Amino acid sequence: MARAAKTYKVTIQNKATAIDCGASQTVLEAAIAAGIDYPYACATGNCGTCISKLEAGKISLLPRGDAALSPEQAKAGQTLACRARPRSDLAITWLGRGRR
Amino acid sequence: MAVTTADRRARACASLLRHVRAITDKEGITPSALHALKLKLVALANRTELFPLSDFAMPVAQGRNHPLLVEENDGYGLYLTINMPGKEAAPHDHGIWCVNAAISGRERHIFYRRTDNAAVAGRAEVIQVGEVIVAPGNGMAMADHDVHATEVVGSEPAIGLALYGYALARFPAVVWYHPAFGSTRASPSRRHAA
């Protein structure tokens, strides 16, 4: 029998809302699927528009450009929602606001 | 004093930009001019001895650009780019022309065309219209508002040269397209920041 994909709870602090995020989904993908207007532009780790503060929990990061997330930002607990996959339940706050 | 690789590289890059200027001053940015620029850039990328990896830091993460020569007065920008396996970029329109050529490794460029009428802010539809693998010995060229996505192919870093109509630090807004979401978003212009 196929095992159900692991799902985590991700709390988007800006919206005070918790959403489900699969282990193979990014936080941004899950937020968009849940109808949350999360800020983003490239969605592939190049521009930094979705820069966010990881308040709690563990993530793994997909490949990204150096300019999108500096080592100092990462050290300060910041991450890219478009590259972050949950490895535990998370709490996250977006820091910027993209434009359409 | 001995001539170093950095000296030879700087001369070669300056020579390239002189040729590029001669072409674009005469023809403008036309398809044939972009093709000519691509051939010039491929010829420079083929001179791999000018671009030893020991002269260029690898990315801290998976992608990094090293300026080789940026013209004054809001001119062209020439970069060495290093992208690691798995590095990707969603479909996007730089708002400015660009030419790429590979030094080593392989990068897939997938070209798109927008098909909606831009009537709804934040919404867009694009379809794939072409694809090229940029590998040693070849390159690709794009006009001002062409749309492409990129992804590194295989297990080797994709290292190449990229020539843009503006320096990266003075890029116009980049418009990104997300077929999976049916959306479009823009990262801000740097034209007023630099």
Side-chain angles (χ1 to χ4, degrees):
Chain A
M1 190 164 62
R3 195 193 285 178
K6 180 79 177 165
T7 298
Y8 297 101
K9 285 286 178 200
V10 174
T11 301
I12 313 284
Q13 304 273 41
N14 312 70
K15 293 286 183 183
T17 298
I19 61 173
D20 290 332
C21 184
S24 61
Q25 264 185 314
T26 66
V27 169
L28 178 66
E29 287 169 342
I32 292 171
I36 292 172
D37 188 20
Y38 211 104
Y40 71 98
C42 77
T44 40
N46 294 281
C47 72
T49 303
C50 65
I51 188 91
S52 301
K53 178 78 189 295
L54 182 63
E55 312 283 0
K58 291 180 180 170
I59 56 165
S60 63
L61 277 176
L62 293 167
R64 63 206 178 275
D66 284 5
L69 182 70
S70 70
E72 293 73 25
Q73 288 173 308
K75 203 171 177 180
Q78 296 179 17
T79 192
L80 299 172
C82 74
R83 301 282 85 186
R85 287 174 164 171
R87 292 295 170 259
S88 72
D89 290 345
L90 306 178
I92 196 164
T93 302
W94 73 64
L95 301 176
R97 183 73 256 175
R99 68 187 179 91
R100 294 176 181 179
Chain B
M1 199 181 339
V3 176
T4 67
T5 298
D7 296 331
R8 284 191 287 273
R9 181 168 61 242
R11 278 208 297 264
C13 292
S15 173
L16 173 86
L17 283 194
R18 279 195 302 275
H19 284 109
V20 165
R21 273 287 164 201
I23 292 166
T24 59
D25 286 353
K26 184 177 174 190
E27 294 186 42
I29 305 298
T30 62
S32 65
L34 287 170
H35 181 70
L37 302 193
K38 181 182 79 173
L39 296 180
K40 296 284 183 194
L41 196 66
V42 168
L44 180 57
N46 285 343
R47 298 176 63 187
T48 54
E49 75 283 0
L50 294 178
F51 306 101
L53 261 188
S54 54
D55 283 7
F56 301 95
M58 294 298 278
V60 175
Q62 285 81 29
R64 185 163 184 165
N65 301 315
H66 293 275
L68 293 172
L69 187 57
V70 175
E71 287 185 330
E72 293 180 349
N73 300 318
D74 205 17
Y76 303 157
L78 175 64
Y79 299 83
L80 182 140
T81 62
I82 306 176
N83 288 308
M84 305 302 285
K87 177 71 174 54
E88 60 181 341
H92 61 282
D93 160 11
H94 302 122
I96 189 67
W97 60 267
C98 78
V99 182
N100 287 59
I103 295 170
S104 63
R106 303 165 72 218
E107 187 170 58
R108 176 180 287 118
H109 290 249
I110 306 165
F111 300 97
Y112 291 83
R113 184 168 65 82
R114 185 170 184 171
T115 56
D116 68 302
N117 62 4
V120 181
R123 307 299 300 171
E125 300 294 334
V126 293
I127 57 169
Q128 186 177 334
V129 294
E131 177 180 319
V132 65
I133 299 284
V134 174
N138 73 11
M140 73 95 202
M142 290 172 50
D144 283 357
H145 288 290
D146 287 350
V147 177
H148 76 148
T150 63
E151 59 180 342
V152 177
V153 177
S155 57
E156 302 295 321
I159 300 169
L161 301 179
L163 175 66
Y164 299 98
Y166 291 127
L168 289 174
R170 292 186 57 78
F171 249 37
V174 178
V175 180
W176 300 87
Y177 297 95
H178 302 290
F181 309 144
S183 68
T184 180
R185 295 288 187 276
S187 39
S189 171
R190 304 176 196 167
R191 303 284 301 151
H192 304 292

